[in-house]
Amino acid sequence: MIRTNEFVVAPQSEEHEELLYRLLDGAASLWNQLTYARRQRFFEGDDIWEADCFYDEYKGLLGSATTETMTRVNDRAWRAFFARNERDPSAQPPGYWGNEDEGRDLRIFLKNQAYTLQWGRYSRLELAIGREIKPEYGLTPNKRPRVPVRGNPTWEGKRGELQITYDELADEFRAYQSVIVDSSLTRGQD
């Protein structure tokens, strides 16, 4: 059974805050470019799955695993659209996450190997980033940035995907971690 842990990602420095903005904005840019290419192919009657040409452009910023994960999340959105479209021809294809001029919806998806969480007195998140930007943040090729987190996990189990979003109204980064838990642990909590 899949459950979700929610917590706040609380950068303690301007450098880490800038890095998070940059990653989330880069992920939104990748989403938008991929969605645009697929929408164009869809409306022209072409195979949308041949529009996966953005990996090299984003792996230096987001890292290989995150670039692939963002593409898979976009794939899921398109598969869901096709499933809905069979039942309801008026269904709309996946949309964009805002734009650069008016502001993007800032979010990123990380697969379970692209992050680690440590809970305790000094709770923190370590996340994979692209090799090209590591030197800008004083990181060696094998080092990951560590960003403090606030909150307590509700669920324990096999960790899944992590989504980080920026909540503009609350002016904070929020994280949602999917966790696969033993169904016997969730009885009476549904």
Side-chain angles (χ1 to χ4, degrees):
M1 189 167 267
I2 298 178
R3 294 289 184 243
T4 303
N5 285 325
E6 298 180 33
F7 53 93
V8 173
V9 180
Q12 299 296 306
S13 69
E14 286 183 22
E15 184 177 71
H16 279 149
E17 188 170 337
E18 175 197 311
L19 174 61
L20 286 173
Y21 278 119
R22 200 168 161 192
L23 292 172
L24 273 62
D25 187 63
S29 177
L30 170 58
W31 176 275
N32 286 346
Q33 280 191 289
L34 187 53
T35 299
Y36 177 79
R38 287 179 169 177
R39 286 175 68 99
Q40 293 304 306
R41 294 185 69 78
F42 173 74
F43 291 122
E44 292 170 3
D46 295 332
D47 181 9
I48 68 151
W49 306 114
E50 292 182 15
D52 294 344
C53 55
F54 302 104
Y55 176 80
D56 289 335
E57 185 176 341
Y58 286 94
K59 73 176 181 177
L61 170 65
L62 302 176
S64 298
T66 302
T67 303
E68 290 169 2
T69 300
M70 291 299 302
T71 301
R72 278 196 305 275
V73 170
N74 193 276
D75 291 350
R76 286 193 311 244
W78 277 93
R79 278 193 223 94
F81 159 68
F82 287 128
R84 271 191 325 271
N85 198 37
E86 286 180 13
R87 295 183 311 275
D88 178 10
S90 67
Q92 296 296 310
Y96 303 106
W97 290 356
N99 62 55
E100 194 171 11
D101 295 333
E102 297 171 16
R104 292 189 177 112
D105 295 333
L106 299 178
R107 67 186 103 154
I108 193 169
F109 291 85
L110 305 165
K111 72 179 187 175
N112 61 358
Q113 293 95 348
Y115 73 92
T116 56
L117 280 165
Q118 181 177 347
W119 296 103
R121 186 173 178 191
Y122 300 105
S123 298
R124 69 175 187 240
L125 166 69
E126 291 183 12
L127 60 152
I129 64 173
R131 286 185 178 263
E132 289 178 17
I133 67 167
K134 283 186 175 190
E136 296 176 42
Y137 296 94
L139 298 168
T140 60
N142 296 323
K143 194 115 166 118
R144 292 178 169 185
R146 296 176 177 170
V147 184
V149 295
R150 290 192 315 260
N152 293 308
T154 305
W155 302 100
E156 291 185 24
K158 183 178 178 190
R159 65 188 170 122
E161 218 169 62
L162 178 73
Q163 177 185 8
I164 302 173
T165 63
Y166 177 69
D167 182 338
E168 197 171 325
L169 292 175
D171 189 28
E172 67 185 9
F173 296 94
R174 294 196 180 151
Y176 305 91
Q177 177 197 34
S178 65
V179 180
I180 300 170
V181 298
D182 183 351
S183 61
S184 67
L185 299 175
T186 62
R187 287 196 188 116
Q189 295 182 17
D190 290 328

